[in-house]
Amino acid sequence: QVQLQESGPGLVKPSETLSLTCAVSGFSISSGSYWGWIRQPPGKGLEWLGSIYYSGNTHINPSLKSRVTLSVDTSENQFSLKLTSVTAADTAVYFCAAHRRPESTIAVAAYYFDDWGQGSLVTVSS
Amino acid sequence: QTVVTQEPSFSVAPGGTVTLTCGLSSGSVSARYYPSWYQQTPGQAPRTLIYNINTRSSGVSDRFSGSILGNKAALTITGAQADDDSDYYCVLYMGSGNWVFGGGTKLTVL
């Protein structure tokens, strides 16, 4: 059974960089699949931030492209998110998730989110 | 910028059937958008229900089904139960490696 666990500081100061790591167990990151980050501001909806393949190939939300960096560490079986120049609007629960392809197709468009982490609340405040 | 639209709220009686939709502020949803659906209860991580339009995720009840209805993606819940009382989100692939969540529908079972 695949399990994902987010970790990182719960409080970040405005203008600084938010850094989170997602540890994956029960599945090797190198076996395939993209790995994604999704966030949810308090009381609001979900927003996809970006996804990374084990090889390092990434897809990033165009609205956040200038501030988001994704990385993967296959030796530690984990992947990470960095979000720069944060403001209060970046306060949210950050989820990591497997971003999988259905077996019936090779289309990138068909990828869907599966096996979610429990989420990590990050507050941006001085 | 095209927005993914969902009904903000919906209600259904226990045992009833409800269809939630996922559309576009401009244009029609078709199979090439590969809609997926997620259920979320307060304080919990989302749970994957449907992907690739109509494929149920492992362990998901067959009371949940996905389809394309007219110009929108749709999630139909039959035999509504109390624990279906949740928020439901759709995701559409918008091209160029970009996935977009809808704003979510708060479903009340009463």
Side-chain angles (χ1 to χ4, degrees):
Chain A
Q1 181 181 356
V2 182
Q3 292 187 321
L4 293 88
Q5 179 66 59
E6 306 88 350
S7 62
L11 181 64
V12 181
K13 289 182 168 55
S15 80
E16 295 190 346
T17 296
L18 178 159
S19 297
L20 291 172
T21 295
C22 181
V24 180
S25 59
F27 188 89
S28 170
I29 278 186
S30 301
S31 297
S33 184
Y34 275 82
W35 303 91
W37 290 96
I38 300 97
R39 71 179 179 181
Q40 185 171 39
K44 295 187 177 181
L46 298 164
E47 178 184 31
W48 171 70
L49 304 180
S51 299
I52 186 167
Y53 201 62
Y54 76 92
S55 62
N57 187 49
T58 59
H59 296 296
I60 309 293
N61 185 324
S63 69
L64 294 166
K65 203 154 195 171
S66 63
R67 297 200 295 137
V68 166
T69 300
L70 304 181
S71 60
V72 62
D73 185 342
T74 54
S75 65
E76 295 290 334
N77 215 44
Q78 62 187 29
F79 59 105
S80 299
L81 164 73
K82 289 190 187 299
L83 179 66
T84 61
S85 304
V86 297
T87 69
D90 295 309
T91 294
V93 175
Y94 286 76
F95 297 98
C96 59
H99 198 179
R100 298 196 189 290
R101 172 178 62 80
E103 292 182 0
S104 58
T105 176
I106 62 171
V108 170
Y111 276 73
Y112 65 100
F113 302 103
D114 202 3
D115 295 318
W116 297 69
Q118 64 185 27
S120 177
L121 174 62
V122 179
T123 302
V124 178
S125 175
S126 55
Chain B
Q1 182 178 356
T2 302
V3 174
V4 178
T5 62
Q6 296 185 247
E7 299 88 357
S9 62
F10 229 116
S11 63
V12 62
T17 296
V18 62
T19 296
L20 312 181
T21 68
C22 176
L24 295 169
S25 58
S26 176
S28 300
V29 176
S30 64
R32 68 180 179 91
Y33 286 86
Y34 290 92
S36 55
W37 292 89
Y38 306 85
Q39 177 192 47
Q40 187 184 34
T41 53
Q44 300 296 315
R47 170 195 177 205
T48 306
L49 295 176
I50 300 284
Y51 60 91
N52 198 11
I53 307 171
N54 56 14
T55 303
R56 275 185 293 275
S57 188
S58 177
V60 173
S61 167
D62 59 6
R63 297 187 302 104
F64 295 89
S65 62
S67 63
I68 301 288
L69 283 181
N71 62 351
K72 296 182 179 182
L75 173 71
T76 299
I77 307 171
T78 58
Q81 301 176 355
D83 60 5
D84 296 334
D85 195 299
S86 303
D87 296 326
Y88 292 84
Y89 294 91
C90 66
V91 171
L92 300 179
Y93 179 72
M94 303 301 280
S96 302
N98 185 23
W99 287 266
V100 178
F101 280 86
T105 296
K106 181 176 179 58
L107 178 67
T108 301
V109 180
L110 51 71

